[in-house]
Amino acid sequence: MNLIKKTMAAVLTFFFSMSIWAQTIDASQRSDLNLRAGVTEISNEVYDLHMLMFMVCVGIAVVVFGVMFVSMYLHRKSRGVKPANFHESVKVEIAWTVIPFIILIAMAFPAAKTLIAMEDTSEADLTILVTGSQWKWNYRYMDSGIEYFSNLATQREQINNKFEKGENYLLEVDRPLVIPTGQKVRFLITSDDVIHSWWVPDFAVKKDANPGFINEAWTNVIEPGVYRGQCAELCGKDHGFMPIVVIAKSPDDYAQWKADEISAIETAKAEEERLLSMNMSMDDLMANGQKIYLAKCAACHMPNGEGLPGVFPAIKGSDLALNDRAGHIDILLNGRTGTAMQAFSKQLTLSEIAAVITFQRNAWGNNTGDIVQAAEVHAYANGQ
Amino acid sequence: MAQEEYQKYYVPEQSVWPIVGAVALFLIAVGAGNLTIDITNGNEGYGQWVLLAGIVTLIVMVTGWFRNQIHESMSGLYSDQLGRSYRQGMAWFIFSEVMFFAAFFGALFYARTIAIPWLGGASNNAMTNEVLWPGFEAVWPLLQTPGGIESTQMGWFGLPLVNTMLLLTSSVTCHYAHVGLEQNKRKQLSWMLGLTILLGCVFLGLQVEEYIHAYDIGLTLDSGMYGNTFFLLTGFHGMHVTLGTVILIVLWFRVQKGHFTPDNHFAFQAGSWYWHFVDVVWVMLFFFVYIL
Amino acid sequence: MSTATETAHHGEHDDHHHHAPAGLKRWLLTTNHKDIGTLYLWFSFIMFLTGGAMAMVIRAELFQPGLQIVDPNFFNQMTTVHGLIMVFGAVMPAFTGLANWLIPMMIGAPDMALPRMNNWSFWILPFAFLILLSSLFMEGGGPAFGWTFYAPLSTTYSSDSTALFVFSVHIMGISSIMGAINVIVTIWNMRAPGMTWMKMPMFVWTWLITAFLLIAVMPVLAGVVTMVLTDKYFGTSFFNAAGGGDPVMFQHIFWFFGHPEVYIMILPAFGIISHIIPTFARKPLFGYASMVYATASIALLSFIVWAHHMFTTGMPVAAEMFFMFATMLISVPTGVKVFNWVATMWRGSMTFEIPMLFAIAFVVLFTIGGLSGLMLAITPVDFQYHDTYFVVAHFHYVLVTGAVFSIMAAAYYWLPKWTGVMYDNTLAKWHFWASLVSVNVLFFPMHFVGLAGMPRRIPDYALQFADFNKWISIGGFAFGLSQLIFLALLIKACRKQGEPATSQVWDGAEGLEWEIPSPAPYHTFDTPPLIK
Ligand code: HEA
Ligand code: HEA
Ligand code: CUA
Ligand SMILES: [Cu+2]
């Protein structure tokens, strides 16, 4: 009897110290051990729910394993115990059916409450259409013309262990999503090809991007800052390489950013006009084309242009790249529906498309000598 | 349960048929897989030959295996208990078939009551319709897909109704064949079974007609969810009717050879269960694919 | 009961078969449940090593950040085929093998009800996995879309070999269905006189229910792979919104199969543990009846919880809530089982032979896995856990330290009955302790990296996860090597090196299988025993 009391005490102490330990993890900090509490009200609620669940589970585990280990210690043959012979007890059995059931009901209430709050996307201040595609994100602000792609920014050499890995290795993008703090931002999430999942842990937002359907999620960030996440649904070869970066700016900074973006769009348009009437030299086209190729195309067609046999076709020696100039322009502008080859007309400017086509037609022994200028791409795009 | 008087349970000795069957399935899987790949890539391949070899092997296996079993059964090796094993095995097999069809019916229900309304903006999907599929209207049958493919509805009145009648009648004839067997009226058995087979064949013929009609009026396998569910459900059903008819034909020949007695006719019973099952699936199909 | 006649051909075997089978033909043509059981068990072990070798590739790549050993496409193939092989090639056949060996002996039947079909069920499997594995060598590689093969990654965007994947799953399904039919019919129809339902050994009960689950859901899997096939190759659009389909529909159909599938992999384990604990506690199983009802409730509930794998797919909130509550409910009957085991141990007279050690490890570690499952069931929090290593930790706890540990416990427990000799106890101790330590080094830190935000199915990761991943990999290699001890032990036992075993083998063992000699004669219970 004494021993049982002692064990009970030990069990309780353990349970108690566990909960102290859990509390000492600073909730707002990023932990390598635990969920992060995040930067929104919802994410904090989720964190609390997680800790509650965790403590309940630890509690149950401690009780069950405690009893079991006590029994293993006390009721060993080597201690000369004779086995008892009982093998049922309706009372006990009812108790351990009903008690867990009550625990579950107690957990169900807060869970349901948080869930309902999370799924309520009504009355948003700002709506952003988030589109996943292999393997990048596209953001479109529904209230303004702002729209851009967001690609992994980590250098290939870091991934291949040639360069030292940076601090935000694999969690950095060329153009992060920018949102205002203190406002309810609604995300409309969809995909162009396979299923992706848009996940930012600090917001406790993870929603699948299903092709052909739009899912909704929302956040309301308290603190300005940079928040990083990743695609969370297997989406093919480079699933591990499509991070998400969100910058939350104070409403004033956000307004400034928005104004800058809109004027940048104007400048880009003018620049595009200018380039259209210009003829680039082969060297410029090739240099530029190579850069674009490595950034946008090499993920599938491989840096050496050989593709992945059976999955992504080679450009090196491809009939299209050697002989079919119109087809080449077409596939870049429009992609090929029903395959991973996406339309690049929105991702690249006309001159960039011209450059990458020229590059493909002259690199890796594709010595066609063809020069494709922006004007030609423009003509093709408008001639359709 | 085995409380009754004890009869020895027959445990067969070694048999080559299972391994032959395994090889057959292997060849079928490899062949069908390669054939599918070759067709889509437009390649000449060896897939169809492997598939064919597999099917032939399977037929050889089934024939050999059943011949053994018929022989054992006729020489009185089988106890009632074994008969029960067979019957229960057949019942569970049919249950598995039911679940196979359930997957396709499930797809049909899901598309009709969930996916398509959502594409039309129902439930939490208002934006899906507004942003991605503006102008798409959710109706069933889905004669215009969100992607813009158009097709035509199949009426239930003509051929399908006739086919329903045919199959329902065949269930009745099949039942009377069984009654004939149980009451040892061999003539009734033989005729009724023959009639069932005939009805099955006519059904299949009309089904081919129905498919030709569907393609004529523009409902094809690739014309969206309506065409998909229509062809896969009726198609798999058709395959089952074909199999059922073959089984019945085999049974008919066995009847001619004087097989089966009023109280020992597992094979016949299995075949007739299978036939009834195929009928029930059709009725469901007629109701959910054609009428509703 | 007939034993020992004609022992001449078979040296140490009791064998009264007329044409004593020998050589390769014995294994190819056999209709004997013990032979087929042995085949299943060895096949499953080979698959475990194969799938394990793939896990080693995964762990080697993840040993440190950066891409070093394999390219991402191949990594995905390894993940996918590892999952498929472990589930369909290792765990399920192992349980079927145990069913074959044990069910007829436990219920006093001469063999399985349909012995030839039994052989067919087995021999399909090596061929099915041959197809699956050889697709890895095709141009474009084998399946790379995860063992869950979500459309449209598995349809429009998959490599050509997908058709082979589909057909190999089809024939695996045929094999499982036939195996399950055989088990049900055997149990239903072949019990010895007097063995009423509520006298049936727990392993038999759990397998009966498992077999029912198999027959109910394997055809659904066959249906969904068929739709994948037609979507990819024949222009249908089940999983394509443009044609009125829905990629999420794939997930509904898949998980309608997939969730019961995970219970298919744990219910027989529950049965095994319910045999081992009473034996070594020398005390009857506590709450036999409630064990039976709990198993049945788990099986029934398993049909209505599938969408807990899909909380992030954007279901309406009412559906999310329904699936959350239904999932939480499963903890109740599972809890009943755990409590019953503990109560069985309570005031017993325990000894800790290897099977018991594995059984105890099972109870503790499975419960940890079950509790993390309960955390996953809480929808709002699952949004954070989903598709991270927290999930990977959960399912390896229930699968490796659950299902696989139970299989090892079973192997040690019945091995003397199968081979007639005691296993090598030194090797066994090494195997157990090495496995126990390394498996936790392997899978426990996965909880941490998962919570800290590491997604699953990625070949490379952010720097903050580096430390734990190193430990996980080290644990993985150690756990892998520990299994080689088991291999050595099994080979030794099969070559009959060891102390001869008595027929009861263990002090406290009860049940028909312990009443026949060790090794079990080739044919047992030609005449059924009478159960009092
Ligand atoms: C053997 C296999 C097995 C088993 C038994 C389980 C058991 C359970 N699983 Fe698990 N699960 C998997 C295999 C398994 N799972 C796999 C393979 C996946 C991933 C698939 C993939 O995506 O690849 C998965 C994924 C998975 C998810 C999806 C996670 C995600 O992707 O986001 C969820 C969510 O609810 C879940 C829940 C549960 C629950 C609630 C149980 C319950 O059955 C557990 C019940 C047990 C206990 C709770 C412990 C003992 C009970 C007590 C001691 C009683 C007292 C307790 C209380 C009443 C609180 N599992
Ligand atoms: C019963 C099922 C089962 C079992 C037993 C295992 C066993 C193991 N699993 Fe796995 N696992 C799954 C089922 C299982 N797994 C599933 C369903 C998935 C999901 C797949 C998906 O996402 O689609 C998964 C995914 C999965 C991942 C995640 C991959 C990813 O998301 O990218 C990882 C990563 O560490 C992993 C590791 C391991 C390890 C180290 C073992 C070890 O226990 C294996 C130990 C065994 C051996 C190692 C073999 C024996 C030894 C040799 C052959 C000699 C060679 C040894 C050395 C060189 C050391 N598994
Ligand atoms: Cu996109 Cu994973
Ligand atoms: Cu599940």
Side-chain angles (χ1 to χ4, degrees):
Chain A
M1 212 55 229
N2 200 9
L3 200 111
I4 292 176
K5 259 189 204 150
K6 262 195 208 152
T7 346
M8 289 294 269
V11 165
L12 283 177
T13 327
F14 178 69
F15 187 23
F16 189 66
S17 53
M18 283 294 279
S19 61
I20 300 274
W21 168 75
Q23 248 122 56
T24 52
I25 298 172
D26 180 358
S28 67
Q29 237 173 16
R30 204 159 95 180
S31 157
D32 284 345
L33 282 175
N34 200 356
L35 213 61
R36 55 192 93 173
V39 293
T40 68
E41 235 171 81
I42 288 284
S43 72
N44 277 285
E45 265 180 53
V46 167
Y47 175 81
D48 292 341
L49 207 52
H50 158 72
M51 285 319 285
L52 173 72
M53 289 297 306
F54 175 67
M55 293 324 297
V56 170
C57 287
V58 170
I60 293 171
V62 166
V63 172
V64 175
F65 303 158
V67 174
M68 193 167 141
F69 285 115
V70 168
S71 165
M72 277 160 62
Y73 177 74
L74 290 178
H75 310 134
R76 275 178 305 159
K77 193 177 177 207
S78 54
R79 294 179 97 232
V81 216
K82 288 270 159 305
N85 200 27
F86 63 89
H87 55 82
E88 60 191 351
S89 156
V90 179
K91 268 193 219 127
V92 187
E93 287 175 60
I94 288 178
W96 66 42
T97 313
V98 173
I99 294 171
F101 192 70
I102 293 170
I103 299 178
L104 291 178
I105 291 177
M107 296 192 308
F109 281 104
K113 193 175 131 270
T114 308
L115 181 62
I116 291 170
M118 287 175 102
E119 297 288 10
D120 176 13
T121 54
S122 60
E123 288 167 41
D125 301 310
L126 171 65
T127 299
I128 299 172
L129 179 67
V130 177
T131 310
S133 62
Q134 285 179 326
W135 291 277
K136 61 196 85 165
W137 294 97
N138 175 272
Y139 299 115
R140 187 164 115 209
Y141 292 74
M142 302 292 272
D143 62 339
S144 58
I146 303 174
E147 173 174 4
Y148 54 88
F149 283 84
S150 174
N151 291 280
L152 174 74
T154 304
Q155 296 151 299
R156 202 164 288 276
E157 288 83 358
Q158 289 189 15
I159 297 172
N160 293 330
N161 308 311
K162 299 222 176 67
F163 293 177
E164 180 95 14
K165 295 179 176 35
E167 187 198 352
N168 291 315
Y169 178 68
L170 294 187
L171 295 178
E172 50 201 346
V173 296
D174 53 359
R175 297 191 68 185
L177 175 67
V178 178
I179 58 169
T181 54
Q183 293 186 17
K184 184 163 181 177
V185 183
R186 176 170 69 145
F187 302 108
L188 305 181
I189 301 173
T190 182
S191 161
D192 270 346
D193 39 44
V194 299
I195 302 176
H196 304 266
S197 191
W198 198 79
W199 179 34
V200 180
D202 283 309
F203 305 165
V205 169
K206 183 187 285 147
K207 259 282 150 43
D208 289 1
N210 298 319
F213 288 83
I214 285 185
N215 276 329
E216 302 188 13
W218 67 276
T219 192
N220 191 339
V221 182
I222 306 164
E223 286 284 305
V226 183
Y227 305 108
R228 295 170 201 277
Q230 277 173 277
C231 175
E233 180 63 63
L234 178 62
C235 52
K237 183 170 80 65
D238 281 356
H239 159 61
F241 305 91
M242 60 182 287
I244 294 151
V245 180
V246 183
I247 300 184
K249 289 182 191 280
S250 69
D252 288 348
D253 290 353
Y254 173 76
Q256 183 60 44
W257 173 84
K258 187 169 157 186
D260 290 351
E261 276 303 307
I262 291 174
S263 70
I265 293 173
E266 294 302 316
T267 350
K269 265 201 196 127
E271 172 74 2
E272 182 78 6
E273 288 294 317
R274 195 177 67 82
L275 286 174
L276 263 187
S277 53
M278 255 177 68
N279 270 343
M280 310 266 285
S281 74
M282 180 72 152
D283 287 346
D284 285 352
L285 283 169
M286 285 298 279
N288 206 3
Q290 177 168 32
K291 229 173 56 209
I292 297 159
Y293 181 84
L294 289 178
K296 308 272 173 169
C297 323
C300 300
H301 298 292
M302 297 288 126
N304 59 9
E306 288 172 7
L308 270 184
V311 190
F312 303 117
I315 307 293
K316 180 178 170 182
S318 131
D319 187 50
L320 200 83
L322 291 177
N323 304 317
D324 184 358
R325 194 164 168 142
H328 201 164
I329 299 176
D330 180 76
I331 199 172
L332 264 171
L333 285 171
N334 303 320
R336 202 164 279 163
T337 34
T339 75
M341 182 62 201
Q342 47 203 266
F344 281 91
S345 48
K346 276 202 303 190
Q347 303 186 38
L348 300 173
T349 65
L350 295 174
S351 51
E352 284 172 326
I353 292 181
V356 79
I357 293 178
T358 308
F359 173 74
Q360 289 187 326
R361 297 178 84 82
N362 294 286
W364 327 291
N366 282 2
N367 296 322
T368 57
D370 289 353
I371 294 187
V372 176
Q373 296 288 0
E376 186 181 344
V377 181
H378 181 70
Y380 188 89
N382 291 352
Q384 303 171 341
Chain B
M1 261 148 285
Q3 263 90 345
E4 319 77 68
E5 199 184 317
Y6 173 69
Q7 287 173 293
K8 190 171 163 59
Y9 196 87
Y10 174 71
V11 177
E13 312 218 329
Q14 294 198 322
S15 164
V16 288
W17 302 121
I19 185 83
V20 174
V23 172
L25 288 184
F26 173 64
L27 294 175
I28 288 175
V30 172
N34 279 301
L35 182 61
T36 311
I37 296 170
D38 289 337
I39 290 176
T40 23
N41 294 345
N43 295 343
E44 266 307 308
Y46 53 90
Q48 63 273 37
W49 303 115
V50 181
L51 178 61
L52 197 69
I55 293 172
V56 171
T57 318
L58 192 71
I59 292 172
V60 170
M61 179 281 265
V62 172
T63 325
W65 188 325
F66 284 1
R67 175 168 311 132
N68 277 9
Q69 265 184 316
I70 292 164
H71 183 78
E72 287 158 9
S73 169
M74 307 282 282
S75 49
L77 285 169
Y78 288 3
S79 61
D80 291 350
Q81 196 186 3
L82 191 74
R84 274 199 305 278
S85 289
Y86 283 156
R87 260 164 256 256
Q88 289 172 1
M90 188 65 194
W92 286 106
F93 168 67
I94 289 177
F95 174 58
S96 82
E97 292 269 45
V98 169
M99 292 309 291
F100 181 74
F101 276 98
F104 291 93
F105 277 110
L108 173 67
F109 297 149
Y110 185 89
R112 287 183 58 165
T113 57
I114 297 178
I116 290 171
W118 283 8
L119 288 165
S123 180
N124 53 354
N125 276 272
M127 297 313 280
T128 301
N129 185 256
E130 216 166 284
V131 179
L132 298 179
W133 311 107
F136 170 70
E137 262 184 78
V139 282
W140 186 266
L142 183 71
L143 299 180
Q144 178 159 23
T145 66
I149 302 168
E150 296 192 26
S151 49
T152 321
Q153 184 173 5
M154 299 297 291
W156 60 270
F157 193 68
L159 265 184
L161 187 65
V162 174
N163 261 347
T164 309
M165 290 311 172
L166 285 180
L167 272 197
L168 285 178
T169 319
S170 78
S171 241
V172 176
T173 53
C174 184
H175 175 73
Y176 280 106
H178 192 189
V179 172
L181 174 55
E182 275 179 335
Q183 300 174 348
N184 217 359
K185 298 184 185 148
R186 301 296 289 196
K187 212 159 186 175
Q188 175 181 344
L189 164 62
S190 182
W191 273 102
M192 282 296 166
L193 189 55
L195 200 55
T196 314
I197 295 168
L198 189 70
L199 288 167
C201 292
V202 176
F203 172 89
L204 284 171
L206 290 181
Q207 200 61 13
V208 171
E209 192 73 9
E210 172 85 348
Y211 277 13
I212 295 172
H213 174 59
Y215 268 79
D216 277 349
I217 64 170
L219 183 72
T220 60
L221 180 61
D222 46 14
S223 52
M225 211 47 198
Y226 178 57
N228 301 162
T229 47
F230 175 82
F231 280 106
L232 281 192
L233 277 166
T234 53
F236 276 116
H237 176 261
M239 279 157 68
H240 283 78
V241 176
T242 313
L243 180 63
T245 312
V246 172
I247 295 176
L248 294 184
I249 291 174
V250 172
L251 292 177
W252 190 82
F253 278 108
R254 289 187 62 189
V255 168
Q256 304 317 304
K257 284 177 84 178
H259 290 191
F260 306 126
T261 60
D263 39 34
N264 182 8
H265 54 258
F266 160 71
F268 186 91
Q269 187 152 47
S272 86
W273 279 354
Y274 196 76
W275 194 254
H276 291 308
F277 151 71
V278 165
D279 282 354
V280 172
V281 171
W282 176 263
V283 173
M284 298 272 294
L285 221 154
F286 183 62
F287 197 66
F288 288 114
V289 175
Y290 282 103
I291 296 191
L292 279 187
Chain C
M1 204 156 52
S2 81
T3 44
T5 45
E6 266 196 297
T7 33
H9 325 299
H10 255 263
E12 59 266 36
H13 244 61
D14 288 318
D15 195 335
H16 81 167
H17 209 277
H18 306 294
H19 320 282
L24 190 61
K25 263 173 99 181
R26 161 167 177 196
W27 302 105
L28 288 179
L29 310 184
T30 183
T31 49
N32 180 287
H33 72 102
K34 299 187 182 83
D35 281 353
I36 295 173
T38 308
L39 284 171
Y40 263 113
L41 288 169
W42 272 109
F43 172 76
S44 124
F45 195 59
I46 292 166
M47 284 294 121
F48 175 66
L49 296 183
T50 316
M54 290 172 186
M56 295 299 103
V57 175
I58 296 174
R59 282 326 317 171
E61 178 56 54
L62 293 175
F63 187 74
Q64 54 182 24
L67 291 179
Q68 32 268 329
I69 300 174
V70 294
D71 68 87
N73 195 42
F74 189 70
F75 182 91
N76 287 346
Q77 292 173 45
M78 285 292 105
T79 301
T80 305
V81 181
H82 161 70
L84 288 169
I85 293 225
M86 286 302 198
V87 169
F88 295 104
V91 173
M92 287 169 65
F95 283 134
T96 317
L98 291 170
N100 260 297
W101 252 105
L102 298 171
I103 288 176
M105 295 197 319
M106 285 178 165
I107 62 175
D111 205 302
M112 296 292 277
L114 308 164
R116 277 177 291 221
M117 196 171 84
N118 202 10
N119 185 16
W120 195 19
S121 314
F122 170 75
W123 277 107
I124 290 171
L125 283 181
F127 290 116
F129 284 91
L130 187 69
I131 298 175
L132 185 65
L133 286 171
S134 56
S135 77
L136 285 173
F137 301 98
M138 282 181 61
E139 193 182 68
F145 28 63
W147 84 283
T148 51
F149 57 104
Y150 282 8
L153 188 60
S154 60
T155 57
T156 314
Y157 299 87
S158 63
S159 68
D160 276 350
S161 65
T162 306
L164 290 173
F165 160 81
V166 167
F167 285 107
S168 79
V169 170
H170 270 141
I171 61 177
M172 276 173 218
I174 293 175
S175 155
S176 299
I177 292 169
M178 290 195 303
I181 289 177
N182 218 336
V183 167
I184 293 206
V185 172
T186 307
I187 297 173
W188 214 282
N189 194 30
M190 308 260 304
R191 277 167 293 134
M195 180 166 287
T196 56
W197 289 111
M198 288 318 249
K199 278 188 190 160
M200 246 162 45
M202 270 317 288
F203 181 71
V204 180
W205 254 118
T206 53
W207 239 112
L208 179 70
I209 291 166
T210 304
F212 167 72
L213 287 180
L214 274 167
I215 300 177
V217 301
M218 288 310 283
V220 177
L221 175 68
V224 79
V225 290
T226 306
M227 291 181 223
V228 164
L229 185 83
T230 58
D231 261 23
K232 182 168 171 61
Y233 296 99
F234 300 108
T236 61
S237 35
F238 285 105
F239 310 129
N240 177 358
D246 182 352
V248 174
M249 181 169 87
F250 170 88
Q251 298 178 33
H252 281 290
I253 308 177
F254 177 83
W255 286 116
F256 182 84
F257 147 80
H259 187 81
E261 168 68 18
V262 308
Y263 291 113
I264 288 167
M265 294 187 283
I266 206 68
L267 294 184
F270 291 166
I272 291 164
I273 301 304
S274 306
H275 281 253
I276 293 178
I277 291 184
T279 297
F280 296 98
R282 293 170 181 73
K283 189 166 151 277
L285 181 67
F286 187 88
Y288 173 89
S290 65
M291 284 297 212
V292 172
Y293 300 135
T295 313
S297 333
I298 294 172
L300 290 179
L301 283 172
S302 79
F303 286 109
I304 56 162
V305 301
W306 74 89
H308 64 216
H309 298 272
M310 306 166 50
F311 284 143
T312 62
T313 55
M315 289 180 291
V317 70
E320 285 176 333
M321 221 112 78
F322 170 80
F323 286 109
M324 163 164 74
F325 298 149
T327 305
M328 290 165 77
L329 263 187
I330 294 201
S331 309
V332 175
T334 318
V336 167
K337 307 211 89 158
V338 172
F339 300 140
N340 279 344
W341 291 322
V342 175
T344 307
M345 289 159 73
W346 191 256
R347 292 186 50 212
S349 168
M350 273 182 271
T351 51
F352 299 96
E353 285 88 339
I354 306 295
M356 182 64 164
L357 291 177
F358 269 103
I360 289 168
F362 171 96
V363 175
V364 174
L365 299 176
F366 167 78
T367 303
I368 292 178
L371 292 171
S372 63
L374 184 62
M375 295 172 75
L376 289 168
I378 309 297
T379 315
V381 206
D382 180 68
F383 292 157
Q384 292 283 48
Y385 305 143
H386 176 68
D387 264 334
T388 67
Y389 264 76
F390 191 77
V391 178
V392 179
H394 156 66
F395 68 71
H396 282 95
Y397 265 88
V398 282
L399 281 169
V400 179
T401 59
V404 173
F405 268 32
S406 80
I407 292 163
M408 287 171 175
Y412 283 111
Y413 186 59
W414 281 290
L415 203 54
K417 177 59 60 190
W418 301 336
T419 63
V421 296
M422 280 308 281
Y423 51 77
D424 181 328
N425 204 33
T426 323
L427 285 183
K429 275 188 184 150
W430 273 100
H431 175 225
F432 173 74
W433 289 108
S435 296
L436 181 71
V437 173
S438 58
V439 87
N440 285 293
V441 178
L442 165 57
F443 294 123
F444 206 76
M446 285 186 181
H447 292 111
F448 301 137
V449 286
L451 291 176
M454 179 167 160
R456 56 192 282 213
R457 295 163 165 170
I458 56 174
D460 192 5
Y461 46 82
L463 298 181
Q464 74 185 100
F465 309 124
D467 292 344
F468 278 129
N469 267 290
K470 194 167 71 200
W471 281 107
I472 293 171
S473 289
I474 291 173
F477 302 142
F479 184 68
L481 290 177
S482 318
Q483 304 323 308
L484 298 182
I485 307 178
F486 189 44
L487 178 65
L489 178 142
L490 287 178
I491 292 175
K492 238 180 129 179
C494 288
R495 299 174 72 191
K496 319 261 151 136
Q497 293 164 350
E499 303 271 305
T502 59
S503 57
Q504 205 198 358
V505 185
W506 315 106
D507 262 2
E510 269 177 49
L512 282 178
E513 79 268 31
W514 305 111
E515 286 168 21
I516 51 185
S518 305
Y522 200 59
H523 288 287
T524 35
F525 302 123
D526 275 347
T527 332
L530 201 74
I531 317 289
K532 327 110 248 188

